[in-house]
Amino acid sequence: MAKTLLLKNADILVTMDAERREITKGGIFAEDGLITAVGQTKSLPTSADTVIDATGQIVLPGMVNTHHHLNQTLTRNLPCCQNKNLFAWLQLHYPIWTRINPEASRTSALIGLGELILSGCTTVFDHSYLFKSGNQVDIHIEAARDLGVRFHASRGSMSLGKSLGGLPPDESVEEENFILKDSIRVIDRYHDASFGALTRIVLAPCSPFTVSEALLKETALLARDKGVMLHTHLCETFDEERYTLERFGKRPLEWMEEMGWLGPDVWFAHAIHVDSEEINIFARTGCGISHCPSSNMRLASGIAPVKDYMAAGVKVSLGVDGAASNDASNMLMETRQAMLLARLRMGLRPPEGPHRYSQLSQSHPLRSSEWMSAREALELATLGGAKVLNRSDIGALEVGRCADFFTLQLNTINYAGGLSDPVAAVIFCAPQSAQTVVIHGQKIVDNGEINSLDMAAVIKEHNTWSLRLLKGS
């Protein structure tokens, strides 16, 4: 017999469906984790196995985080790294991350995933690429299953140590034959390509400056043979651009194209330093982008041309990035930052800012398309993430999709005075924690608390591991 769920009486329900309906007194009915009805509460069944009364609340599709490094929760806010750009920041972190053991890794995953869930995130991609001290992808997959989150796990990799011209120290990298062999193991054991899957695997070499050309090419061939997606960092900093120009005589995207890394099964994190031709290449080949505004500001990396991507038809999503380069795992905050950073770009002079109408007021009608609206930002965080991950089963609240959603209380101090447009208030006003989170029809957060695990005990253990890692013990 089907397990049913009814959400009813929402002040407003944001569907993100094809008509972008926002339904007052809205509700959802789901069976076995899939939505079977969406509309006003009066049009829905009156009972279910699980009933959620969303009176006084707004309901939104579960957010999709397309770039993260869960283990980095262990090294947030390190004093030595607070004022460093990416390469220097990485070089200070590599020795610490290399020591992360299975126990510490599990707590870091639980903390990062828990923080994301409480911010309305129901689908998480994690880019793990350091597997020393017994750390494995399996640990994060188990943590995600314990919490009940929809999870895309990467079998990432670093193989190019400093002695071979890479950035990381030699003790942080793995042997390439082992990487490929273990990638096959992880895909065969965990990847679920079915509709509504809770676990999928992605192959994700770390970056142009941490892996060899051979590994990039072999990984792409393996991923396509196995039917999984590909991901890496790209065009994040000027240091990276100088690296590929000096080492290969090509800009980062040119080089990745030569490696066979363009197509609808690929998405890149950051993609900040690109020109108009490269934007068109992303659009033409179907590559996706994970925009990480907080990390890009924190590390002084730059501002990604997100509105230009959107105008060109590039698939764009949002990622909170590593919890040590943000230093948070909060999708509502990241969505707000995406909107604000796109607006900041409007105030810059060329070449970073607008070209054609830069002398006109930002409020001039000819510049209206440059504005990132609250609803556009929300779409990046929901439907945008689903499109980048090539999923038609998440990202919106409509019949046939997964019952992944979250609710926020509206009558709070955060939104006071802003309820003339509750949907925009969620993005314009200060982020708050979710009241309820449902993933595949299962209530994961109830009354603002994660109910699947004792998070207080996890926090205590996590802080113990964090301090031990920093002390080198």
Side-chain angles (χ1 to χ4, degrees):
M1 190 170 179
K3 186 173 183 181
T4 57
L5 176 141
L6 170 66
L7 177 134
K8 62 181 183 178
N9 301 328
D11 282 21
I12 187 163
L13 187 146
V14 180
T15 65
M16 281 294 164
D17 64 9
E19 291 78 36
R20 302 299 189 267
R21 290 182 300 159
E22 296 172 1
I23 303 170
T24 57
K25 299 181 181 178
I28 299 168
F29 192 80
E31 298 181 20
D32 290 336
L34 298 180
I35 297 172
T36 57
V38 179
Q40 289 198 311
T41 299
K42 62 185 180 182
S43 69
L44 302 177
T46 57
S47 63
D49 298 319
T50 300
V51 178
I52 301 169
D53 188 341
T55 300
Q57 298 172 55
I58 184 171
V59 181
L60 302 108
M63 292 184 166
V64 181
N65 176 34
T66 59
H67 188 66
H68 202 19
H69 306 289
L70 290 169
N71 279 162
Q72 290 183 17
T73 62
L74 292 159
T75 58
R76 290 200 259 208
N77 187 38
L78 293 188
C80 64
C81 300
Q82 290 170 0
N83 304 307
K84 302 291 184 183
N85 71 332
L86 180 66
F87 275 25
W89 177 92
L90 284 169
Q91 287 168 324
L92 288 166
H93 277 97
Y94 283 141
I96 303 171
W97 293 338
T98 302
R99 297 196 300 270
I100 294 175
N101 62 23
E103 293 82 6
S105 185
R106 174 177 166 80
T107 63
S108 70
L110 291 172
I111 289 293
L113 293 170
E115 190 175 7
L116 283 164
I117 292 168
L118 289 171
S119 70
C121 183
T122 56
T123 299
V124 180
F125 165 71
D126 180 61
H127 189 184
S128 290
Y129 52 83
L130 272 154
F131 298 109
K132 297 292 184 176
S133 301
N135 197 7
Q136 288 183 308
V137 181
D138 311 58
I139 295 163
H140 291 178
I141 293 172
E142 291 164 7
R145 288 178 173 177
D146 287 345
L147 279 171
V149 68
R150 199 176 299 279
F151 194 49
H152 286 229
S154 78
R155 202 317 173 179
S157 55
M158 295 200 307
S159 66
L160 197 70
K162 191 172 182 180
S163 65
L164 296 176
L167 189 71
D170 289 352
E171 60 268 23
S172 297
V173 303
E174 295 178 286
E175 197 273 328
E176 294 187 352
N177 285 335
F178 175 75
I179 290 170
L180 294 169
K181 182 179 179 181
D182 196 52
S183 296
I184 294 170
R185 177 191 70 83
V186 172
I187 294 168
D188 289 347
R189 181 171 181 180
Y190 294 110
H191 184 66
D192 182 356
S194 66
F195 189 92
L198 285 167
T199 306
R200 288 188 179 171
I201 301 299
V202 177
L203 296 187
C206 182
S207 64
F209 47 85
T210 58
V211 295
S212 71
E213 295 177 74
L215 183 61
L216 279 173
K217 291 177 180 178
E218 289 297 319
T219 299
L221 291 172
L222 174 59
R224 285 164 181 146
D225 178 63
K226 291 288 190 178
V228 302
M229 294 191 72
L230 290 161
H231 178 73
T232 193
H233 302 87
L234 198 73
C235 305
E236 183 177 1
T237 66
F238 290 127
D239 285 338
E240 176 197 320
E241 187 173 314
R242 280 189 290 268
Y243 180 90
T244 61
L245 283 169
E246 291 171 4
R247 189 174 177 92
F248 310 113
K250 294 180 174 63
R251 288 170 58 82
L253 184 57
E254 289 180 283
W255 185 61
M256 292 303 284
E257 184 172 20
E258 189 175 287
M259 298 297 104
W261 264 70
L262 298 186
D265 58 347
V266 178
W267 86 100
F268 298 111
H270 307 295
I272 298 168
H273 301 291
V274 295
D275 57 28
S276 58
E277 181 181 344
E278 290 165 331
I279 291 174
N280 289 332
I281 291 172
F282 285 134
R284 174 173 50 81
T285 59
C287 292
I289 303 299
S290 181
H291 176 42
C292 307
S294 293
S295 174
N296 297 163
M297 290 187 283
R298 203 262 205 208
L299 297 174
S301 299
I303 303 175
V306 174
K307 288 293 291 187
D308 294 343
Y309 282 135
M310 294 166 67
V314 178
K315 297 182 294 186
V316 183
S317 60
L318 298 182
V320 299
D321 200 9
S325 66
N326 186 316
D327 292 29
S329 304
N330 188 309
M331 276 295 288
L332 274 173
M333 184 172 74
E334 208 63 32
T335 307
R336 184 174 190 263
Q337 294 286 49
M339 180 185 74
L340 297 179
L341 192 58
R343 293 174 175 219
L344 173 63
R345 193 168 181 266
M346 292 178 66
L348 302 178
R349 296 286 187 186
E352 288 298 319
H355 291 253
R356 297 187 67 191
Y357 302 120
S358 58
Q359 298 305 312
L360 296 177
S361 163
Q362 287 93 331
S363 297
H364 193 284
L366 286 173
R367 299 191 65 180
S368 61
S369 64
E370 295 177 40
W371 287 85
M372 171 79 77
S373 72
R375 284 171 173 80
E376 282 180 317
L378 186 59
E379 184 164 330
L380 296 183
T382 53
L383 273 178
K387 290 176 181 177
V388 163
L389 296 180
N390 287 340
R391 297 194 68 148
S392 61
D393 52 357
I394 59 175
L397 301 177
E398 57 184 345
V399 173
R401 297 207 188 214
C402 299
D404 290 9
F405 59 85
F406 70 105
T407 78
L408 297 164
Q409 290 283 0
L410 287 173
N411 298 305
T412 65
I413 195 169
N414 306 64
Y415 300 148
L419 296 182
S420 56
D421 185 351
V423 179
V426 169
I427 308 303
F428 272 99
C429 301
Q432 64 181 32
S433 290
Q435 175 76 5
T436 303
V437 178
V438 170
I439 302 175
H440 210 78
Q442 299 295 314
K443 193 190 294 185
I444 306 300
V445 172
D446 188 19
N447 198 29
E449 299 288 338
I450 293 173
N451 59 25
S452 47
L453 279 178
D454 177 7
M455 293 306 293
V458 175
I459 292 167
K460 182 178 180 180
E461 183 182 356
H462 179 272
N463 284 334
T464 299
W465 280 116
S466 177
L467 290 174
R468 287 181 62 177
L469 282 167
L470 299 185
K471 292 176 181 177
S473 59

